[in-house]
């Protein structure tokens, strides 16, 4: 699997600039946090200096499977050191954030549901590596990782989970309802995001730009009727929609074998071409997404992409997640398919980074998430005056009825903008 | 107001004489305690044992024992044929259940929560509720749609809402919104035996609560009548009408008010359709004051319906002050903990409402 070759040992600059010398805080300066996924931005942070690593490496991915496509995404992928570090940082940040969320839930600071993305990081992160700023995303309730990827910092995510004012929905949305620019949730109704995603793609096409929409749903959600209705219209009207089935093996306690008459999710668009990709391989996901975006933006209509992945935790925090699968199964995936460990191994063996560098990065991420966690715990909730805020963008009733005829409250406009 | 106080007084006294009847309060013996969850489970088990045509279908109902463990043990006992896990496809399996009911089976169609019944509402209303009528009585639809309904805790706007008024709106459906364990057992059994489509609205936050079960309620033959309310607590000063978890709220408020010399009559509606207008009217005739209590939204809610029915009835003349609705606030549920509390009615809202309504009398 790790058929990688260090291409260029880094004693020379590549087009993305080069990395880092010995400066203490260079690492943290080098990647602008949550600003822009574009490598060009990052490159401006780099000064030339001496170094001892590969600036670029190429790898073989697992073969893709395709449905009704004449070509496949390339199995040979290249990755620069800067890209690799960014992908690694993003995956590790999500993992850390989710660990922290799990702990906050156990401390009863996060209430209700809390669906962790741990194990699935390579999907969001890999896709983000191929997305352009005007591409749109919509997903289900397992949304913390995507929210971060779409520009909300860990505090914005964690404080939403704790229901505090620094949360990206000011604490009103909760774990399933986070949004940001070009990110439309966070939907608690299984499958509902699929036609919504097709609608976003409809708008992209309508507006005449080359943007696409990535609409993600689970193996469980894939069976909802509205997914198939959306497929049909997306194909009829050639909507630039990438339907992404994150196949993590289970929908709650039901294995995909028990929920789906066909588990070849990438073929289930029938007349819509599809791609299967190893969702634990961040580079494969990135490559497949590039391919898919190219396909969609060229006006050929939608694609279905299945990312084969795994969820480590229970469905939500209240589900131990061990009654319908074995601990061994989880352990086995962690040991053999973990998206972060496997990518780290690749980075190390191809000399894209050193163990010390990654260790340092890990510590930095940990510190950042810990800090965000602390703030998310200490933060205040919005005031009572915001309870009737933003029910409408333009309320036609000045007063919102309370629990009795006498305790109505004025409708208020707050309007978070991203 | 059309009536003068003196005519109102006259009519009221006359009606009081006519309506002084025994309360249908249940015996509270030194009965066994049982959780709502176990009561529901027992009802399902007994009805499955009793009638081969009864089966359960829904998400996670079988191998996982139910997302809220209401169907615990039933798959082991009755097997794949009768306890059936579905994919996450509400409109699909609600349609399949309804079709099976057309053919004479007795499906218990579980929605993991009623929030997801919105995916399936077409089959509930257009297929289940109307077919008997459209077929001129040829095809009956003996189905139960059940699952947790109403506000839960900390789950945000899409997972915290009451659909009582939505379903109660629809002719052809019977709608049950039980409160305690006896209600749940007796009414779920009745719902399964009923030849018409029944929407059975449980409450997640009550599942783990224990309530006394009379010996009678423990029996396999215990069935409560659909469409009959229950007086949970008799009182003379004011009537509180509530359903589901709001009954708890009304009882709490009644307790507090009792300490202040105000005796509330608390009516547990049990059914939202048919609505037991008679029991409410009789109580109003006695107490002359009415406050409705529900967790759902105010507009076109259960309280609105009750108010309208009282307006249309003879009981109207017995009111000494306007009816007041205590409801959930007119907004989606926030996740924010401190605000969630305010989005729902609290006992003190009921107390305030009662005092205002009674205060109006002394004017
Ligand atoms: C319409 C609807 N039905 C049921 C649920 C309850 N529910 C929430 S998540 C879930 C499982 C979904 O599984 P999958 O689509 O595979 O996503 P995953 O949780 O694996 O990310 C279910 C049944 C819901 N939220 N919405
Ligand atoms: Mg899944």
């Amino acid at each position: 699997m790790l058929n990688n070759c260090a291409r260029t040992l880094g004693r020379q600059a590549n087009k993305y600039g080069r990395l880092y010398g010995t400066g203490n805080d260079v690492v943290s300066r080098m990647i602008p946090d949550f600003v822009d996924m574009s490598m060009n931005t990052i490159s401006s942070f780099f000064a030339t200096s001496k170094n001892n690593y590969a600036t670029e490496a190429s790898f073989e991915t697992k073969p893709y499977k395709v449905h009704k496509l004449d070509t496949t995404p390339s199995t040979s992928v290249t990755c620069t050191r800067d890209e690799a570090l960014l992908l690694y940082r993003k995956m590790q940040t999500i993992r850390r954030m989710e660990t922290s969320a799990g702990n906050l839930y156990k401390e009863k600071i996060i209430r209700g549901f809390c669906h962790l993305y741990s194990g699935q990081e390579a999907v969001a992160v890999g896709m983000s590596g191929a997305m352009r700023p005007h591409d749109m995303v919509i997903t289900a309730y397992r949304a913390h990782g995507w929210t971060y990827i779409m520009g909300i910092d860990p505090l914005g995510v964690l404080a939403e989970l704790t229901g505090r004012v620094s949360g990206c929905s000011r604490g009103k949305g909760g774990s399933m309802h986070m949004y940001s620019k070009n990110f439309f949730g966070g939907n608690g109704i299984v499958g509902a995001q699929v036609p919504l995603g097709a609608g976003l793609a409809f708008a992209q096409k309508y507006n005449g730009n080359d943007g696409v929409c990535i609409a993600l749903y689970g193996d469980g959600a894939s069976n909802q009727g509205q997914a198939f209705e959306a497929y049909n219209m997306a194909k009829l009207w050639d909507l630039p929609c990438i339907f992404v089935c994150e196949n993590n093996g289970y929908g709650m306690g039901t294995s995909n074998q028990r929920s789906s008459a066909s588990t070849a999710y990438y073929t289930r668009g029938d007349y819509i071409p599809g791609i299967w990709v190893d969702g634990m391989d961040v580079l494969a996901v990135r490559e497949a997404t590039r391919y898919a975006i190219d396909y969609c933006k060229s006006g050929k209509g939608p694609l279905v992409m299945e990312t084969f992945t795994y969820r480590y935790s229970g469905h939500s925090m209240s589900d131990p997640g061990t009654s319908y699968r074995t601990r061994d199964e989880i352990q086995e995936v962690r040991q053999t398919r973990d998206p972060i460990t496997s990518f780290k191994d690749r980075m190390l063996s191809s000399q894209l980074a050193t163990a010390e560098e990654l260790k340092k990065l890990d510590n930095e991420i940990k510190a950042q998430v810990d800090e965000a966690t602390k703030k998310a715990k200490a933060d205040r909730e919005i005031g009572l005056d915001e309870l009737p805020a933003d029910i409408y963008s333009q309320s036609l009733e000045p007063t919102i009825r309370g629990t009795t005829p006498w305790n109505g409250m004025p409708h208020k406009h707050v309007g978070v903008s991203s | 107001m059309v009536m003068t106080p003196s005519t109102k007084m006259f009519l009221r006294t006359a009606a009081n004489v006519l309506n002084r009847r025994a309360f249908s309060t249940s015996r509270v013996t030194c009965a066994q305690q049982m959780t709502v969850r176990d009561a529901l489970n027992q009802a399902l088990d007994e009805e499955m044992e009793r009638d081969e045509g009864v089966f359960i279908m829904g998400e996670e109902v079988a191998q996982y024992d139910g997302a809220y463990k209401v169907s615990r043990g039933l798959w082991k006992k009755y097997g794949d044929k009768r306890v059936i896990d579905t994919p996450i496809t509400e409109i699909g399996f609600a349609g399949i259940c309804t079709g099976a009911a057309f053919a004479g089976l007795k499906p218990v169609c579980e929605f993991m929560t009623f929030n997801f019944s919105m995916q399936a509402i077409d089959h509930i209303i257009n297929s289940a509720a109307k077919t008997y009528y459209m077929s001129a009585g040829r095809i009956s639809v003996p189905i139960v749609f059940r699952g947790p309904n109403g506000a839960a805790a900390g789950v945000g706007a899409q997972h915290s809402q009451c659909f009582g008024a939505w379903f109660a709106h629809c002719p052809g459906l019977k709608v049950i919104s039980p409160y305690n364990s006896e209600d749940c057992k007796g009414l779920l059994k009745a719902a399964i035996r009923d030849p018409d489509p029944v929407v059975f609205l449980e409450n997640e936050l009550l599942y783990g609560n224990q309530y006394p079960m009379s010996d009678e309620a423990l029996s396999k033959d215990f069935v409560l009548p659909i469409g009959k309310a229950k007086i949970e607590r008799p009182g003379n000063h004011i009537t509180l009408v509530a359903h589901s978890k709001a009954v708890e709220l009304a009882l709490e408020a009644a307790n507090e008010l009792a300490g202040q010399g105000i005796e509330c009559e608390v009516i547990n509606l049990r059914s939202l359709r048919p609505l037991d207008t008679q029991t409410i009217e009789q109580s109003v005739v006695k107490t002359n004051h009415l406050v409705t209590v529900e967790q759902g939204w105010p507009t076109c809610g259960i309280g609105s319906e009750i108010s309208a029915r009282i307006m249309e009835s003879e009981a109207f003349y017995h009111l000494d002050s306007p009816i007041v609705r205590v409801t959930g606030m007119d907004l989606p549920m926030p996740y924010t903990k401190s605000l969630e509390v305010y989005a729902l009615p609290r006992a003190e809202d009921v107390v305030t409402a009662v005092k205002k309504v009674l205060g109006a009398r002394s004017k």
Side-chain angles (χ1 to χ4, degrees):
Chain A
M1 187 174 84
L2 293 181
N3 174 17
N4 45 16
C5 78
R7 212 177 245 176
T8 321
L9 276 180
R11 292 203 163 85
Q12 70 204 47
N14 69 15
K15 65 177 170 172
Y16 294 120
R18 278 167 313 168
L19 278 231
Y20 34 104
T22 49
N24 312 332
D25 57 349
V26 185
V27 177
S28 58
R29 280 196 286 112
M30 141 197 141
I31 291 149
D33 282 333
F34 324 111
V35 177
D36 192 340
M37 306 304 127
S38 134
M39 296 303 147
N40 298 329
T41 313
I42 292 158
S43 65
S44 65
F45 282 74
F46 302 140
T48 15
S49 64
K50 287 187 194 143
N51 37 44
N52 275 305
Y53 41 73
T55 53
E56 193 172 286
S58 62
F59 307 92
E60 276 299 306
T61 70
K62 245 194 212 151
Y64 308 90
K65 295 180 221 170
V66 292
H67 168 68
K68 294 200 170 151
L69 283 171
D70 298 331
T71 58
T72 75
S74 172
T75 50
S76 150
V77 296
T78 42
C79 182
T80 67
R81 169 176 156 82
D82 303 349
E83 290 168 344
L85 284 166
L86 185 58
L87 295 172
Y88 179 83
R89 167 187 279 263
K90 288 183 189 171
M91 287 200 288
Q92 198 62 297
T93 303
I94 295 175
R95 181 70 57 91
R96 270 275 157 214
M97 220 168 59
E98 294 298 56
T99 304
S100 185
N103 292 335
L104 287 167
Y105 185 92
K106 286 177 204 141
E107 292 172 51
K108 296 197 187 333
I109 296 168
I110 294 174
R111 308 181 308 134
F113 297 123
C114 185
H115 311 93
L116 303 184
Y117 200 55
S118 309
Q120 302 179 215
E121 296 90 345
V123 179
V125 173
M127 300 198 93
S128 77
M131 282 165 57
R132 299 143 320 146
H134 57 297
D135 292 327
M136 295 172 169
V137 176
I138 189 166
T139 186
Y141 45 81
R142 203 173 293 287
H144 315 163
W146 268 108
T147 306
Y148 157 75
I149 287 300
M150 293 303 288
I152 302 293
D153 65 17
L155 175 61
V157 174
L158 290 168
E160 192 55 40
L161 291 169
T162 59
R164 311 302 164 94
V165 68
S166 303
C168 54
S169 300
R170 298 180 68 75
K172 278 166 75 170
S175 104
M176 302 185 288
H177 309 301
M178 304 186 189
Y179 311 84
S180 73
K181 182 164 191 300
N182 285 338
F183 177 56
F184 296 85
N187 199 309
I189 305 302
V190 166
Q193 73 277 18
V194 183
L196 293 174
L200 292 165
F202 179 92
Q204 297 276 43
K205 183 170 176 174
Y206 194 96
N207 290 331
N209 61 35
D210 75 342
V212 306
C213 177
I214 294 175
L216 301 109
Y217 51 95
D219 46 290
S222 76
N223 301 303
Q224 279 286 32
Q226 55 181 317
F228 296 94
E229 297 180 24
Y231 286 169
N232 184 48
M233 284 179 275
K235 185 63 185 173
L236 271 177
W237 302 333
D238 280 340
L239 303 181
C241 192
I242 308 175
F243 295 105
V244 179
C245 178
E246 289 190 76
N247 175 9
N248 61 10
Y250 301 87
M252 282 195 169
T254 304
S255 72
N256 58 19
Q257 306 283 341
R258 292 206 301 120
S259 75
S260 307
S262 160
T263 54
Y265 296 99
Y266 68 105
T267 67
R268 289 182 59 179
D270 183 7
Y271 37 77
I272 301 180
I275 306 170
W276 179 98
V277 56
D278 177 6
M280 305 303 258
D281 177 349
V282 70
L283 295 178
V285 173
R286 188 181 65 163
E287 197 60 29
T289 308
R290 278 185 184 147
Y291 178 98
I293 290 176
D294 278 347
Y295 181 94
C296 288
K297 79 176 189 199
S298 70
K300 291 183 197 150
L303 266 186
V304 173
M305 189 191 294
E306 172 183 350
T307 59
F308 184 63
T309 181
Y310 197 79
R311 116 167 108 67
Y312 288 154
S313 304
H315 166 71
S316 178
M317 287 299 295
S318 56
D319 166 31
T322 47
S323 65
Y324 47 87
R325 57 183 190 180
T326 61
R327 281 176 206 281
D328 284 350
E329 177 184 304
I330 306 168
Q331 219 30 51
E332 156 104 21
V333 178
R334 276 190 188 278
Q335 275 158 14
T336 60
R337 289 170 58 203
D338 185 79
I340 300 181
T341 315
S342 64
F343 188 58
K344 183 177 178 178
D345 289 347
R346 282 178 160 190
M347 287 175 79
L348 294 177
S349 59
S350 63
Q351 289 165 293
L352 282 173
T354 64
E356 297 74 53
E357 283 171 332
L358 294 185
K359 180 96 206 125
K360 199 170 148 211
L361 193 52
D362 288 348
N363 288 337
E364 190 198 325
I365 290 163
K366 180 177 184 311
Q368 190 197 12
V369 172
D370 285 352
E371 178 66 19
T373 306
K374 225 165 74 188
K375 283 194 184 141
K377 280 166 89 164
D379 202 18
R380 66 176 177 87
E381 294 185 335
I382 50 174
L384 189 56
D385 59 315
E386 283 195 41
L387 175 55
D390 298 324
I391 302 167
Y392 299 99
S393 44
Q394 197 173 26
S395 182
L396 301 177
E397 294 173 294
T399 304
I400 299 305
R401 194 192 196 266
T403 51
T404 68
W406 312 287
N407 61 0
M409 293 173 72
H411 185 274
K412 189 174 168 175
H413 184 67
V414 177
V416 175
S417 59
S418 33
Chain B
M1 293 273 160
V2 190
M3 306 298 285
T4 65
S6 60
T7 33
K8 275 180 78 176
M9 195 66 77
F10 168 76
L11 286 170
R12 183 199 308 156
T13 322
N16 269 347
V17 173
L18 290 174
N19 287 307
R20 209 157 280 153
R21 48 150 222 166
F23 303 123
S24 60
T25 47
S26 72
R27 268 185 302 142
V28 181
T29 51
C30 50
Q32 186 182 323
Q33 298 279 315
M34 186 182 280
T35 63
V36 164
R37 175 182 286 111
D38 289 345
L40 291 165
N41 183 266
Q42 199 171 74
L44 291 169
D45 190 5
E46 289 173 8
E47 292 309 298
M48 289 186 79
E49 205 163 76
R50 178 176 176 271
D51 184 343
E52 273 288 322
V54 177
F55 68 91
I56 303 177
M57 187 183 279
E59 293 157 20
E60 308 289 352
V61 295
Q63 297 193 20
Y64 198 74
D65 272 343
Y68 298 96
K69 306 294 174 199
V70 170
S71 54
R72 181 184 286 155
L74 298 179
W75 176 64
K76 285 215 179 68
K77 183 163 172 190
Y78 296 101
D80 285 332
K81 181 181 174 192
R82 298 181 67 195
V83 185
I84 303 155
D85 278 331
T86 65
I88 310 164
T89 51
E90 288 82 5
I91 185 83
F93 70 75
I96 287 175
C97 284
T98 306
F102 285 2
L105 295 180
K106 311 272 180 59
V108 176
C109 175
E110 174 173 313
F111 295 115
M112 192 177 282
T113 76
F114 261 92
N115 303 291
F116 317 140
S117 76
M118 292 297 98
Q119 296 286 318
I121 196 164
D122 183 66
H123 278 310
I124 302 174
I125 291 162
N126 274 324
S127 307
K130 298 176 185 170
T131 295
Y132 193 67
Y133 184 82
M134 295 188 296
S135 68
R138 193 187 297 272
I139 300 171
S140 70
V141 192
I143 188 172
V144 178
F145 298 101
R146 53 155 289 273
N149 167 63
V155 293
Q158 290 182 334
H159 281 69
S160 227
Q161 54 202 322
C162 175
F163 293 100
W166 294 53
F167 292 112
H169 188 63
C170 304
L173 291 180
K174 294 171 182 170
V175 182
I176 298 173
S177 184
Y179 161 54
N180 61 18
S181 304
E182 278 194 6
D183 288 3
C184 281
K185 178 166 177 197
L187 288 164
L188 183 53
K189 286 166 70 77
I192 294 171
R193 293 182 192 189
D194 197 276
D196 291 313
V198 179
V199 171
F200 192 89
L201 305 166
E202 298 156 17
N203 187 296
E204 180 197 331
L205 300 178
L206 295 176
Y207 279 151
N209 286 11
Q210 293 207 320
Y211 296 97
M213 289 283 272
S214 60
D215 292 344
E216 200 186 334
L218 289 170
S219 134
K220 282 187 188 255
D221 301 320
F222 180 66
V223 178
L224 287 169
I226 299 173
K228 287 272 165 278
K230 174 189 170 200
I231 294 174
E232 288 285 342
R233 175 188 175 118
N236 290 315
H237 298 137
I238 187 164
T239 304
L240 303 180
V241 183
H243 69 97
S244 188
K245 194 158 171 24
V247 173
E248 188 176 66
L249 204 66
L251 288 170
E252 233 176 90
N255 241 338
E256 190 180 327
L257 287 159
Q260 302 170 35
I262 299 170
E263 289 303 333
C264 302
E265 177 141 300
V266 177
I267 298 178
N268 167 7
L269 280 175
R270 282 183 167 170
S271 297
L272 303 180
R273 187 183 188 101
L275 191 63
D276 186 356
T277 318
Q278 195 187 17
T279 296
I280 305 170
E281 282 174 19
Q282 280 166 353
S283 178
V284 167
V285 163
K286 182 177 72 168
T287 67
N288 315 119
H289 300 90
L290 176 61
V291 167
T292 65
V293 190
E294 67 194 302
Q295 289 198 319
W297 292 312
T299 307
C300 305
I302 300 300
S304 319
E305 178 61 24
I306 292 170
S307 304
R309 291 202 189 189
I310 295 296
M311 286 290 288
E312 291 169 345
S313 81
E314 211 274 329
F316 168 72
Y317 301 110
H318 297 263
L319 283 175
D320 280 352
S321 66
I323 299 166
V324 162
R325 292 170 297 158
V326 177
T327 65
M329 272 189 86
D330 200 10
L331 37 77
M333 183 61 75
Y335 171 68
T336 321
K337 189 177 183 186
S338 60
L339 301 194
E340 188 180 51
V341 180
Y342 286 100
L344 293 171
R346 294 168 301 153
E348 57 190 273
D349 295 322
V350 181
V351 169
T352 308
V354 165
K355 287 184 174 169
K356 285 234 190 198
V357 168
L358 289 177
R361 178 176 57 169
S362 56
K363 270 192 227 137

